[in-house]
Amino acid sequence: MTKSAKYILLSLLIALALLTSACGASAPPTSSAIDTISTAVAMTVEAENAQQTQFTPTPAFTETPLPAFPNAATPTARPKPTNPPPASANDLACMKASLIDQTIPDGTIKKPGEQFTEVWHIRNDSTCVWDTTYKIVFWDGDVMGGGYVYNFPQQALPGDTVAVPLVLTAPAQDGTYRSSWKLQTPGGASFGVGYDSPFWVDIVVSSSDKIDYGVTSVTYEVVRDPAAGCPANVFYTIYATISVNGPITIVYNWAKSDGTTENKKTLKFTEAGSQTVQMQWSLHLGSATNERWARIFTISPTQQDYDKATFLYDCK
C-alpha cells in the first residue's frame, strides 16, 4: 500500500471514530460501516494506481536521423514525339522564322569528344512575341551529347534576330554528323526556318593528327546599283561568302563569263568560319542583254572551281 493510501485509510478511521463517539461510546461500529470504509480505501488505491500507470513518464525522445536523400537522377532524354500536336490558329501566326547566320560552317572538323558551341542567329518573322516559354527541340540526326529540349534563350519581338546557342559535344567515332533542330511554341507545335526547314550543325569528326583543312562552301549574293532603271552605267557587286573547316590560308581569284579574271588574293582563317569577299562588274548602256556569271576559283591549297553567281543585264 502506498503512503497516500495509508493516509486516506487513517483519515477514514478517524472520521469513523469521531462518528462513533458522537453516537455513543457504547455502540461499536457496525460491520457494514467497516465494509464501506474498506471498499472506499480499495477504490481509492485502485484509482491512484491507475493514475500512476497513466502518467508514467516516457523515455526522452531521441530523433533518429533520416538517411541522406540521394542525388536526383539526371532526367532521361526523350526523343521527339512521333505525332506532335497539330498547330492551333494562334500557333500558326507565331510559327515564322528565318535563319540569318550561324557560327560553325558545314563540314567543320572536330576532334572526337570535343565540346563546342554552335550559335544560330534566328529572326522572328511572325507577329508574336517569343519568350522563354518557347523551346528549341531536337529534330533529327545526332543529338551530339546535348539535351533534347532547351528553353528559348530570351524574348524576341517581331522582326528581332536572336542568338540561339547550344553547347554540344562531337561524337567519339570518326565520321560525318549532323544535328538538326526546330523551334516549338508553348502549345507544343514545332516549326523550322524558311519553309519549315530545321536548322542544323554539320561536322566531321577526325582523330587524325594531320588534318587537311579546306574550303567547305562558297555562296553568293548579287546586288544591282541602281536596283532598277537603265542609266549610262549599271554596277553589279557580287559577294562571295567563303567557309572553311579549320585554320587555313587560301589563295583565290574571280573568274568571269567574259573570259577575264581578277588579280589573285590571299585570305587567312585562324579557325573554322566564314569570310565574305566581293568584286564589282560595271556594264554600260548598250551592252549585250544576256546572262552573265562570276565565280570564285581557288589556287591554293587546292585548285578548284565553285558554283557561279549569275545575273541578267536587261537594259538596251
Side-chain angles (χ1 to χ4, degrees), residues 54-300:
Q54 181 179 356
F55 291 99
T56 299
T58 56
F61 174 72
T62 302
E63 182 177 3
T64 302
L66 295 174
F69 189 81
N71 292 332
T74 301
T76 302
R78 294 176 297 173
K80 66 182 181 66
T82 54
N83 294 307
S88 67
N90 290 335
D91 281 339
L92 288 173
C94 304
M95 297 165 59
K96 296 178 182 178
S98 293
L99 177 63
I100 303 304
D101 193 15
Q102 67 184 89
T103 55
I104 297 180
D106 289 352
T108 295
I109 298 176
K110 297 292 182 183
K111 289 291 187 182
E114 180 181 349
Q115 191 176 78
F116 61 95
T117 301
E118 169 67 293
V119 183
W120 296 278
H121 293 88
I122 296 178
R123 186 177 64 215
N124 180 358
D125 290 336
S126 76
T127 58
C128 303
V129 176
W130 298 347
D131 57 24
T132 54
T133 62
Y134 281 71
K135 307 291 183 185
I136 307 156
V137 296
F138 175 71
W139 193 251
D140 195 16
D142 194 297
V143 74
M144 293 192 189
Y148 282 82
V149 180
Y150 296 86
N151 289 333
F152 196 73
Q154 66 183 76
Q155 185 183 82
L157 301 176
D160 283 354
T161 297
V162 175
V164 178
L166 291 187
V167 178
L168 303 171
T169 302
Q173 301 298 320
D174 287 9
T176 299
Y177 299 89
R178 174 173 289 192
S179 185
S180 298
W181 300 79
K182 282 192 173 186
L183 302 178
Q184 189 180 83
T185 68
S190 299
F191 64 103
V193 293
Y195 294 101
D196 197 29
S197 298
F199 46 95
W200 63 76
V201 56
D202 188 299
I203 63 171
V204 175
V205 177
S206 175
S207 57
S208 173
D209 293 332
K210 182 174 175 20
I211 298 175
D212 294 325
Y213 296 108
V215 176
T216 56
S217 68
V218 177
T219 58
Y220 300 99
E221 181 183 7
V222 180
V223 177
R224 186 186 194 272
D225 182 25
C230 294
N233 291 285
V234 176
F235 299 91
Y236 291 88
T237 302
I238 299 97
Y239 296 92
T241 299
I242 302 172
S243 299
V244 301
N245 57 13
I248 189 175
T249 298
I250 65 172
V251 179
Y252 73 96
N253 64 9
W254 288 90
K256 302 164 64 178
S257 57
D258 62 3
T260 62
T261 59
E262 302 285 309
N263 293 328
K264 66 181 180 180
K265 297 180 175 62
T266 299
L267 198 59
K268 183 177 181 179
F269 293 83
T270 59
E271 60 182 0
S274 302
Q275 295 187 46
T276 299
V277 298
Q278 67 183 69
M279 65 153 288
Q280 191 175 76
W281 193 339
S282 63
L283 295 171
H284 60 81
L285 190 64
S287 296
T289 56
N290 60 299
E291 185 178 83
R292 291 169 169 81
W293 57 261
R295 68 182 178 192
I296 290 287
F297 175 83
T298 58
I299 301 168
S300 174

Side-chain angles (χ1 to χ4, degrees), residues 3-16:
K3 290 183 179 179
S4 57
K6 291 178 181 178
Y7 294 150
I8 293 169
L9 178 58
L10 180 59
S11 299
L12 290 173
L13 289 174
I14 293 171
L16 179 60

